[in-house]
mmCIF file with all atom_site columns, all heavy atoms in Angstrom:
data_model
loop_
_atom_site.group_PDB
_atom_site.id
_atom_site.type_symbol
_atom_site.label_atom_id
_atom_site.label_alt_id
_atom_site.label_comp_id
_atom_site.label_asym_id
_atom_site.label_entity_id
_atom_site.label_seq_id
_atom_site.pdbx_PDB_ins_code
_atom_site.Cartn_x
_atom_site.Cartn_y
_atom_site.Cartn_z
_atom_site.occupancy
_atom_site.B_iso_or_equiv
_atom_site.pdbx_formal_charge
_atom_site.auth_seq_id
_atom_site.auth_comp_id
_atom_site.auth_asym_id
_atom_site.auth_atom_id
_atom_site.pdbx_PDB_model_num
ATOM 1   N N   . ILE A 1 139 ? -36.288 -4.336  -13.056 1.00 98.00 ? 165 ILE A N   1
ATOM 2   C CA  . ILE A 1 139 ? -34.927 -3.833  -13.205 1.00 98.00 ? 165 ILE A CA  1
ATOM 3   C C   . ILE A 1 139 ? -34.711 -2.640  -12.295 1.00 98.00 ? 165 ILE A C   1
ATOM 4   O O   . ILE A 1 139 ? -35.611 -1.813  -12.125 1.00 98.00 ? 165 ILE A O   1
ATOM 5   C CB  . ILE A 1 139 ? -34.664 -3.421  -14.665 1.00 98.00 ? 165 ILE A CB  1
ATOM 6   C CG1 . ILE A 1 139 ? -34.638 -4.647  -15.575 1.00 98.00 ? 165 ILE A CG1 1
ATOM 7   C CG2 . ILE A 1 139 ? -33.353 -2.636  -14.806 1.00 98.00 ? 165 ILE A CG2 1
ATOM 8   C CD1 . ILE A 1 139 ? -34.628 -4.311  -17.048 1.00 98.00 ? 165 ILE A CD1 1
ATOM 9   N N   . GLN A 1 140 ? -33.530 -2.546  -11.721 1.00 98.00 ? 166 GLN A N   1
ATOM 10  C CA  . GLN A 1 140 ? -33.093 -1.333  -11.044 1.00 98.00 ? 166 GLN A CA  1
ATOM 11  C C   . GLN A 1 140 ? -31.659 -1.046  -11.475 1.00 98.00 ? 166 GLN A C   1
ATOM 12  O O   . GLN A 1 140 ? -30.843 -1.963  -11.572 1.00 98.00 ? 166 GLN A O   1
ATOM 13  C CB  . GLN A 1 140 ? -33.164 -1.474  -9.529  1.00 98.00 ? 166 GLN A CB  1
ATOM 14  C CG  . GLN A 1 140 ? -34.585 -1.524  -8.989  1.00 98.00 ? 166 GLN A CG  1
ATOM 15  C CD  . GLN A 1 140 ? -34.616 -1.366  -7.483  1.00 98.00 ? 166 GLN A CD  1
ATOM 16  O OE1 . GLN A 1 140 ? -34.144 -0.372  -6.934  1.00 98.00 ? 166 GLN A OE1 1
ATOM 17  N NE2 . GLN A 1 140 ? -35.181 -2.341  -6.805  1.00 98.00 ? 166 GLN A NE2 1
ATOM 18  N N   . SER A 1 141 ? -31.380 0.228   -11.740 1.00 98.00 ? 167 SER A N   1
ATOM 19  C CA  . SER A 1 141 ? -30.026 0.609   -12.126 1.00 98.00 ? 167 SER A CA  1
ATOM 20  C C   . SER A 1 141 ? -29.504 1.690   -11.195 1.00 98.00 ? 167 SER A C   1
ATOM 21  O O   . SER A 1 141 ? -30.258 2.341   -10.486 1.00 98.00 ? 167 SER A O   1
ATOM 22  C CB  . SER A 1 141 ? -29.991 1.068   -13.588 1.00 98.00 ? 167 SER A CB  1
ATOM 23  O OG  . SER A 1 141 ? -30.811 2.197   -13.793 1.00 98.00 ? 167 SER A OG  1
ATOM 24  N N   . TRP A 1 142 ? -28.190 1.871   -11.212 1.00 98.00 ? 168 TRP A N   1
ATOM 25  C CA  . TRP A 1 142 ? -27.562 2.876   -10.356 1.00 98.00 ? 168 TRP A CA  1
ATOM 26  C C   . TRP A 1 142 ? -26.202 3.249   -10.930 1.00 98.00 ? 168 TRP A C   1
ATOM 27  O O   . TRP A 1 142 ? -25.674 2.582   -11.817 1.00 98.00 ? 168 TRP A O   1
ATOM 28  C CB  . TRP A 1 142 ? -27.430 2.374   -8.923  1.00 98.00 ? 168 TRP A CB  1
ATOM 29  C CG  . TRP A 1 142 ? -26.422 1.293   -8.705  1.00 98.00 ? 168 TRP A CG  1
ATOM 30  C CD1 . TRP A 1 142 ? -25.135 1.419   -8.244  1.00 98.00 ? 168 TRP A CD1 1
ATOM 31  C CD2 . TRP A 1 142 ? -26.594 -0.112  -8.941  1.00 98.00 ? 168 TRP A CD2 1
ATOM 32  N NE1 . TRP A 1 142 ? -24.512 0.200   -8.184  1.00 98.00 ? 168 TRP A NE1 1
ATOM 33  C CE2 . TRP A 1 142 ? -25.385 -0.758  -8.600  1.00 98.00 ? 168 TRP A CE2 1
ATOM 34  C CE3 . TRP A 1 142 ? -27.658 -0.882  -9.404  1.00 98.00 ? 168 TRP A CE3 1
ATOM 35  C CZ2 . TRP A 1 142 ? -25.211 -2.136  -8.720  1.00 98.00 ? 168 TRP A CZ2 1
ATOM 36  C CZ3 . TRP A 1 142 ? -27.491 -2.248  -9.529  1.00 98.00 ? 168 TRP A CZ3 1
ATOM 37  C CH2 . TRP A 1 142 ? -26.290 -2.859  -9.184  1.00 98.00 ? 168 TRP A CH2 1
ATOM 38  N N   . GLY A 1 143 ? -25.653 4.338   -10.419 1.00 98.00 ? 169 GLY A N   1
ATOM 39  C CA  . GLY A 1 143 ? -24.389 4.850   -10.909 1.00 98.00 ? 169 GLY A CA  1
ATOM 40  C C   . GLY A 1 143 ? -24.566 6.223   -11.515 1.00 98.00 ? 169 GLY A C   1
ATOM 41  O O   . GLY A 1 143 ? -25.473 6.978   -11.114 1.00 98.00 ? 169 GLY A O   1
ATOM 42  N N   . ARG A 1 144 ? -23.740 6.591   -12.486 1.00 98.00 ? 170 ARG A N   1
ATOM 43  C CA  . ARG A 1 144 ? -23.812 7.900   -13.121 1.00 98.00 ? 170 ARG A CA  1
ATOM 44  C C   . ARG A 1 144 ? -25.182 8.083   -13.765 1.00 98.00 ? 170 ARG A C   1
ATOM 45  O O   . ARG A 1 144 ? -25.592 7.316   -14.632 1.00 98.00 ? 170 ARG A O   1
ATOM 46  C CB  . ARG A 1 144 ? -22.721 8.023   -14.164 1.00 98.00 ? 170 ARG A CB  1
ATOM 47  C CG  . ARG A 1 144 ? -22.522 9.423   -14.747 1.00 98.00 ? 170 ARG A CG  1
ATOM 48  C CD  . ARG A 1 144 ? -21.700 10.305  -13.839 1.00 98.00 ? 170 ARG A CD  1
ATOM 49  N NE  . ARG A 1 144 ? -20.365 9.770   -13.604 1.00 98.00 ? 170 ARG A NE  1
ATOM 50  C CZ  . ARG A 1 144 ? -19.299 10.050  -14.369 1.00 98.00 ? 170 ARG A CZ  1
ATOM 51  N NH1 . ARG A 1 144 ? -19.412 10.847  -15.422 1.00 98.00 ? 170 ARG A NH1 1
ATOM 52  N NH2 . ARG A 1 144 ? -18.105 9.549   -14.071 1.00 98.00 ? 170 ARG A NH2 1
ATOM 53  N N   . SER A 1 145 ? -25.903 9.101   -13.340 1.00 97.00 ? 171 SER A N   1
ATOM 54  C CA  . SER A 1 145 ? -27.282 9.293   -13.808 1.00 97.00 ? 171 SER A CA  1
ATOM 55  C C   . SER A 1 145 ? -27.358 9.444   -15.323 1.00 97.00 ? 171 SER A C   1
ATOM 56  O O   . SER A 1 145 ? -28.265 8.908   -15.965 1.00 97.00 ? 171 SER A O   1
ATOM 57  C CB  . SER A 1 145 ? -27.892 10.523  -13.128 1.00 97.00 ? 171 SER A CB  1
ATOM 58  O OG  . SER A 1 145 ? -27.969 10.346  -11.734 1.00 97.00 ? 171 SER A OG  1
ATOM 59  N N   . SER A 1 146 ? -26.407 10.147  -15.917 1.00 97.00 ? 172 SER A N   1
ATOM 60  C CA  . SER A 1 146 ? -26.424 10.398  -17.345 1.00 97.00 ? 172 SER A CA  1
ATOM 61  C C   . SER A 1 146 ? -26.092 9.169   -18.180 1.00 97.00 ? 172 SER A C   1
ATOM 62  O O   . SER A 1 146 ? -26.296 9.161   -19.390 1.00 97.00 ? 172 SER A O   1
ATOM 63  C CB  . SER A 1 146 ? -25.444 11.519  -17.694 1.00 97.00 ? 172 SER A CB  1
ATOM 64  O OG  . SER A 1 146 ? -24.116 11.176  -17.302 1.00 97.00 ? 172 SER A OG  1
ATOM 65  N N   . SER A 1 147 ? -25.595 8.118   -17.543 1.00 98.00 ? 173 SER A N   1
ATOM 66  C CA  . SER A 1 147 ? -25.189 6.914   -18.265 1.00 98.00 ? 173 SER A CA  1
ATOM 67  C C   . SER A 1 147 ? -26.073 5.705   -17.979 1.00 98.00 ? 173 SER A C   1
ATOM 68  O O   . SER A 1 147 ? -25.670 4.567   -18.217 1.00 98.00 ? 173 SER A O   1
ATOM 69  C CB  . SER A 1 147 ? -23.739 6.566   -17.928 1.00 98.00 ? 173 SER A CB  1
ATOM 70  O OG  . SER A 1 147 ? -22.857 7.574   -18.383 1.00 98.00 ? 173 SER A OG  1
ATOM 71  N N   . GLY A 1 148 ? -27.274 5.945   -17.460 1.00 98.00 ? 174 GLY A N   1
ATOM 72  C CA  . GLY A 1 148 ? -28.199 4.850   -17.193 1.00 98.00 ? 174 GLY A CA  1
ATOM 73  C C   . GLY A 1 148 ? -28.428 4.559   -15.734 1.00 98.00 ? 174 GLY A C   1
ATOM 74  O O   . GLY A 1 148 ? -29.130 3.600   -15.406 1.00 98.00 ? 174 GLY A O   1
ATOM 75  N N   . GLY A 1 149 ? -27.855 5.393   -14.836 1.00 98.00 ? 175 GLY A N   1
ATOM 76  C CA  . GLY A 1 149 ? -28.104 5.214   -13.418 1.00 98.00 ? 175 GLY A CA  1
ATOM 77  C C   . GLY A 1 149 ? -29.503 5.606   -12.993 1.00 98.00 ? 175 GLY A C   1
ATOM 78  O O   . GLY A 1 149 ? -29.919 5.331   -11.868 1.00 98.00 ? 175 GLY A O   1
ATOM 79  N N   . THR A 1 150 ? -30.238 6.249   -13.884 1.00 97.00 ? 176 THR A N   1
ATOM 80  C CA  . THR A 1 150 ? -31.657 6.559   -13.701 1.00 97.00 ? 176 THR A CA  1
ATOM 81  C C   . THR A 1 150 ? -32.375 6.241   -15.002 1.00 97.00 ? 176 THR A C   1
ATOM 82  O O   . THR A 1 150 ? -31.757 6.017   -16.042 1.00 97.00 ? 176 THR A O   1
ATOM 83  C CB  . THR A 1 150 ? -31.882 8.039   -13.356 1.00 97.00 ? 176 THR A CB  1
ATOM 84  O OG1 . THR A 1 150 ? -31.363 8.851   -14.428 1.00 97.00 ? 176 THR A OG1 1
ATOM 85  C CG2 . THR A 1 150 ? -31.195 8.425   -12.065 1.00 97.00 ? 176 THR A CG2 1
ATOM 86  N N   . GLY A 1 151 ? -33.712 6.222   -14.944 1.00 97.00 ? 177 GLY A N   1
ATOM 87  C CA  . GLY A 1 151 ? -34.514 6.061   -16.143 1.00 97.00 ? 177 GLY A CA  1
ATOM 88  C C   . GLY A 1 151 ? -34.802 4.637   -16.561 1.00 97.00 ? 177 GLY A C   1
ATOM 89  O O   . GLY A 1 151 ? -35.291 4.398   -17.672 1.00 97.00 ? 177 GLY A O   1
ATOM 90  N N   . TRP A 1 152 ? -34.522 3.665   -15.704 1.00 97.00 ? 178 TRP A N   1
ATOM 91  C CA  . TRP A 1 152 ? -34.783 2.275   -16.054 1.00 97.00 ? 178 TRP A CA  1
ATOM 92  C C   . TRP A 1 152 ? -36.288 2.021   -16.177 1.00 97.00 ? 178 TRP A C   1
ATOM 93  O O   . TRP A 1 152 ? -37.098 2.736   -15.593 1.00 97.00 ? 178 TRP A O   1
ATOM 94  C CB  . TRP A 1 152 ? -34.174 1.334   -15.017 1.00 97.00 ? 178 TRP A CB  1
ATOM 95  C CG  . TRP A 1 152 ? -34.752 1.445   -13.626 1.00 97.00 ? 178 TRP A CG  1
ATOM 96  C CD1 . TRP A 1 152 ? -35.822 0.776   -13.113 1.00 97.00 ? 178 TRP A CD1 1
ATOM 97  C CD2 . TRP A 1 152 ? -34.274 2.272   -12.556 1.00 97.00 ? 178 TRP A CD2 1
ATOM 98  N NE1 . TRP A 1 152 ? -36.049 1.120   -11.804 1.00 97.00 ? 178 TRP A NE1 1
ATOM 99  C CE2 . TRP A 1 152 ? -35.107 2.042   -11.440 1.00 97.00 ? 178 TRP A CE2 1
ATOM 100 C CE3 . TRP A 1 152 ? -33.210 3.181   -12.441 1.00 97.00 ? 178 TRP A CE3 1
ATOM 101 C CZ2 . TRP A 1 152 ? -34.918 2.683   -10.225 1.00 97.00 ? 178 TRP A CZ2 1
ATOM 102 C CZ3 . TRP A 1 152 ? -33.035 3.819   -11.226 1.00 97.00 ? 178 TRP A CZ3 1
ATOM 103 C CH2 . TRP A 1 152 ? -33.875 3.570   -10.130 1.00 97.00 ? 178 TRP A CH2 1
ATOM 104 N N   . PRO A 1 153 ? -36.708 1.001   -16.917 1.00 96.00 ? 179 PRO A N   1
ATOM 105 C CA  . PRO A 1 153 ? -38.143 0.727   -17.075 1.00 96.00 ? 179 PRO A CA  1
ATOM 106 C C   . PRO A 1 153 ? -38.764 0.295   -15.756 1.00 96.00 ? 179 PRO A C   1
ATOM 107 O O   . PRO A 1 153 ? -38.127 -0.389  -14.950 1.00 96.00 ? 179 PRO A O   1
ATOM 108 C CB  . PRO A 1 153 ? -38.172 -0.405  -18.108 1.00 96.00 ? 179 PRO A CB  1
ATOM 109 C CG  . PRO A 1 153 ? -36.840 -1.066  -17.968 1.00 96.00 ? 179 PRO A CG  1
ATOM 110 C CD  . PRO A 1 153 ? -35.874 0.035   -17.650 1.00 96.00 ? 179 PRO A CD  1
ATOM 111 N N   . THR A 1 154 ? -40.000 0.669   -15.548 1.00 94.00 ? 180 THR A N   1
ATOM 112 C CA  . THR A 1 154 ? -40.660 0.390   -14.272 1.00 94.00 ? 180 THR A CA  1
ATOM 113 C C   . THR A 1 154 ? -41.572 -0.829  -14.316 1.00 94.00 ? 180 THR A C   1
ATOM 114 O O   . THR A 1 154 ? -42.062 -1.257  -13.282 1.00 94.00 ? 180 THR A O   1
ATOM 115 C CB  . THR A 1 154 ? -41.486 1.609   -13.832 1.00 94.00 ? 180 THR A CB  1
ATOM 116 O OG1 . THR A 1 154 ? -42.416 1.951   -14.871 1.00 94.00 ? 180 THR A OG1 1
ATOM 117 C CG2 . THR A 1 154 ? -40.577 2.808   -13.567 1.00 94.00 ? 180 THR A CG2 1
ATOM 118 N N   . ASN A 1 155 ? -41.790 -1.389  -15.506 1.00 94.00 ? 181 ASN A N   1
ATOM 119 C CA  . ASN A 1 155 ? -42.615 -2.600  -15.579 1.00 94.00 ? 181 ASN A CA  1
ATOM 120 C C   . ASN A 1 155 ? -41.731 -3.830  -15.392 1.00 94.00 ? 181 ASN A C   1
ATOM 121 O O   . ASN A 1 155 ? -40.518 -3.748  -15.257 1.00 94.00 ? 181 ASN A O   1
ATOM 122 C CB  . ASN A 1 155 ? -43.356 -2.658  -16.916 1.00 94.00 ? 181 ASN A CB  1
ATOM 123 C CG  . ASN A 1 155 ? -42.434 -2.529  -18.108 1.00 94.00 ? 181 ASN A CG  1
ATOM 124 O OD1 . ASN A 1 155 ? -41.494 -1.747  -18.094 1.00 94.00 ? 181 ASN A OD1 1
ATOM 125 N ND2 . ASN A 1 155 ? -42.698 -3.294  -19.156 1.00 94.00 ? 181 ASN A ND2 1
ATOM 126 N N   . ALA A 1 156 ? -42.355 -5.018  -15.413 1.00 93.00 ? 182 ALA A N   1
ATOM 127 C CA  . ALA A 1 156 ? -41.639 -6.266  -15.168 1.00 93.00 ? 182 ALA A CA  1
ATOM 128 C C   . ALA A 1 156 ? -41.522 -7.072  -16.467 1.00 93.00 ? 182 ALA A C   1
ATOM 129 O O   . ALA A 1 156 ? -41.698 -6.540  -17.560 1.00 93.00 ? 182 ALA A O   1
ATOM 130 C CB  . ALA A 1 156 ? -42.358 -7.069  -14.085 1.00 93.00 ? 182 ALA A CB  1
ATOM 131 N N   . ASN A 1 157 ? -41.188 -8.334  -16.349 1.00 93.00 ? 183 ASN A N   1
ATOM 132 C CA  . ASN A 1 157 ? -41.155 -9.291  -17.457 1.00 93.00 ? 183 ASN A CA  1
ATOM 133 C C   . ASN A 1 157 ? -39.903 -9.193  -18.321 1.00 93.00 ? 183 ASN A C   1
ATOM 134 O O   . ASN A 1 157 ? -39.870 -9.741  -19.417 1.00 93.00 ? 183 ASN A O   1
ATOM 135 C CB  . ASN A 1 157 ? -42.403 -9.167  -18.335 1.00 93.00 ? 183 ASN A CB  1
ATOM 136 C CG  . ASN A 1 157 ? -42.676 -10.434 -19.138 1.00 93.00 ? 183 ASN A CG  1
ATOM 137 O OD1 . ASN A 1 157 ? -42.477 -11.546 -18.640 1.00 93.00 ? 183 ASN A OD1 1
ATOM 138 N ND2 . ASN A 1 157 ? -43.105 -10.277 -20.376 1.00 93.00 ? 183 ASN A ND2 1
ATOM 139 N N   . TYR A 1 158 ? -38.846 -8.526  -17.854 1.00 97.00 ? 184 TYR A N   1
ATOM 140 C CA  . TYR A 1 158 ? -37.608 -8.470  -18.628 1.00 97.00 ? 184 TYR A CA  1
ATOM 141 C C   . TYR A 1 158 ? -36.770 -9.720  -18.370 1.00 97.00 ? 184 TYR A C   1
ATOM 142 O O   . TYR A 1 158 ? -36.798 -10.295 -17.282 1.00 97.00 ? 184 TYR A O   1
ATOM 143 C CB  . TYR A 1 158 ? -36.819 -7.211  -18.284 1.00 97.00 ? 184 TYR A CB  1
ATOM 144 C CG  . TYR A 1 158 ? -37.494 -5.981  -18.823 1.00 97.00 ? 184 TYR A CG  1
ATOM 145 C CD1 . TYR A 1 158 ? -38.305 -5.192  -18.004 1.00 97.00 ? 184 TYR A CD1 1
ATOM 146 C CD2 . TYR A 1 158 ? -37.374 -5.630  -20.158 1.00 97.00 ? 184 TYR A CD2 1
ATOM 147 C CE1 . TYR A 1 158 ? -38.950 -4.075  -18.508 1.00 97.00 ? 184 TYR A CE1 1
ATOM 148 C CE2 . TYR A 1 158 ? -38.016 -4.515  -20.668 1.00 97.00 ? 184 TYR A CE2 1
ATOM 149 C CZ  . TYR A 1 158 ? -38.806 -3.755  -19.840 1.00 97.00 ? 184 TYR A CZ  1
ATOM 150 O OH  . TYR A 1 158 ? -39.453 -2.654  -20.356 1.00 97.00 ? 184 TYR A OH  1
ATOM 151 N N   . ARG A 1 159 ? -36.003 -10.133 -19.385 1.00 96.00 ? 185 ARG A N   1
ATOM 152 C CA  . ARG A 1 159 ? -35.208 -11.356 -19.268 1.00 96.00 ? 185 ARG A CA  1
ATOM 153 C C   . ARG A 1 159 ? -33.707 -11.144 -19.438 1.00 96.00 ? 185 ARG A C   1
ATOM 154 O O   . ARG A 1 159 ? -32.922 -12.012 -19.052 1.00 96.00 ? 185 ARG A O   1
ATOM 155 C CB  . ARG A 1 159 ? -35.677 -12.399 -20.275 1.00 96.00 ? 185 ARG A CB  1
ATOM 156 C CG  . ARG A 1 159 ? -35.450 -12.066 -21.747 1.00 96.00 ? 185 ARG A CG  1
ATOM 157 C CD  . ARG A 1 159 ? -35.970 -13.212 -22.612 1.00 96.00 ? 185 ARG A CD  1
ATOM 158 N NE  . ARG A 1 159 ? -35.804 -13.003 -24.031 1.00 96.00 ? 185 ARG A NE  1
ATOM 159 C CZ  . ARG A 1 159 ? -34.718 -13.342 -24.723 1.00 96.00 ? 185 ARG A CZ  1
ATOM 160 N NH1 . ARG A 1 159 ? -33.676 -13.868 -24.110 1.00 96.00 ? 185 ARG A NH1 1
ATOM 161 N NH2 . ARG A 1 159 ? -34.663 -13.143 -26.031 1.00 96.00 ? 185 ARG A NH2 1
ATOM 162 N N   . ALA A 1 160 ? -33.286 -10.017 -20.021 1.00 95.00 ? 186 ALA A N   1
ATOM 163 C CA  . ALA A 1 160 ? -31.857 -9.769  -20.207 1.00 95.00 ? 186 ALA A CA  1
ATOM 164 C C   . ALA A 1 160 ? -31.620 -8.286  -20.409 1.00 95.00 ? 186 ALA A C   1
ATOM 165 O O   . ALA A 1 160 ? -32.511 -7.546  -20.840 1.00 95.00 ? 186 ALA A O   1
ATOM 166 C CB  . ALA A 1 160 ? -31.317 -10.550 -21.400 1.00 95.00 ? 186 ALA A CB  1
#
Side-chain angles (χ1 to χ4, degrees):
I165 292 170
Q166 290 192 58
S167 61
W168 71 98
R170 190 81 61 90
S171 297
S172 59
S173 295
T176 60
W178 64 89
T180 56
N181 54 320
N183 202 38
Y184 289 98
R185 66 180 180 88

